[in-house]
Amino acid sequence: MTDLAAPEEEDLAAARRRLAAAQGRVVRALVAAGEVPDGFDPARLRAQAASLLAKRRSVVARLRPDAAEAAGPDLAAEFAAYARAREEPPPGYRADADDFAAWLRERGRLPDPPRRRAPWWRRLLS
């Protein structure tokens, strides 16, 4: 009976690999401007990708208002350029917000953060 199970397990593993590859193509189309996979409506996929980008931008603007303010009226265009420059979003909104701020800083759109002063009690220990 184990001889019959081996081909079925191989078929299942192959099907899982194909599914994972197909899901990867859909995700790339949604978040990294990848090609639209066969069988998907390109207009609907572009609309969903734009919606996901707007959601990310909105959350990033709430988490890092300094970055949103630095981008000003160009926020949508700047965030879209930032998103296109990445293969996939970072794992989590906070990381996305910090990466966007760093991206703006590299382009001279956001000043360096102020240096943190040592706590007052550290000065007493010197």
Side-chain angles (χ1 to χ4, degrees):
M1 203 172 259
T2 57
D3 292 337
L4 295 176
E8 289 175 5
E9 289 176 18
E10 289 175 12
D11 290 344
L12 185 57
R16 286 182 176 151
R17 284 191 298 275
R18 285 192 306 275
L19 178 60
Q23 288 173 332
R25 288 189 297 274
V26 172
V27 169
R28 278 190 296 284
L30 287 170
V31 300
E35 289 186 30
V36 175
D38 291 338
F40 285 86
D41 181 347
R44 286 184 177 184
L45 206 59
R46 280 193 305 273
Q48 185 62 42
S51 175
L52 290 171
L53 184 66
K55 178 183 179 186
R56 275 178 64 198
R57 182 180 63 239
S58 172
V59 172
V60 164
R62 280 191 302 252
L63 290 174
R64 290 296 303 260
D66 60 327
E69 185 177 326
D74 299 331
L75 177 61
E78 290 284 357
F79 193 81
Y82 154 79
R84 277 192 307 272
R86 306 180 62 92
E87 284 193 28
E88 62 185 51
Y93 286 118
R94 174 62 65 187
D96 205 13
D98 292 341
D99 287 357
F100 178 58
W103 190 84
L104 287 173
R105 191 171 291 113
E106 290 170 3
R107 283 150 186 77
R109 298 287 307 258
L110 185 65
D112 288 334
R115 290 186 47 165
R116 293 182 62 173
R117 292 183 52 188
W120 65 268
W121 50 267
R122 286 245 172 125
R123 292 187 294 252
L124 297 175
L125 298 175
S126 314

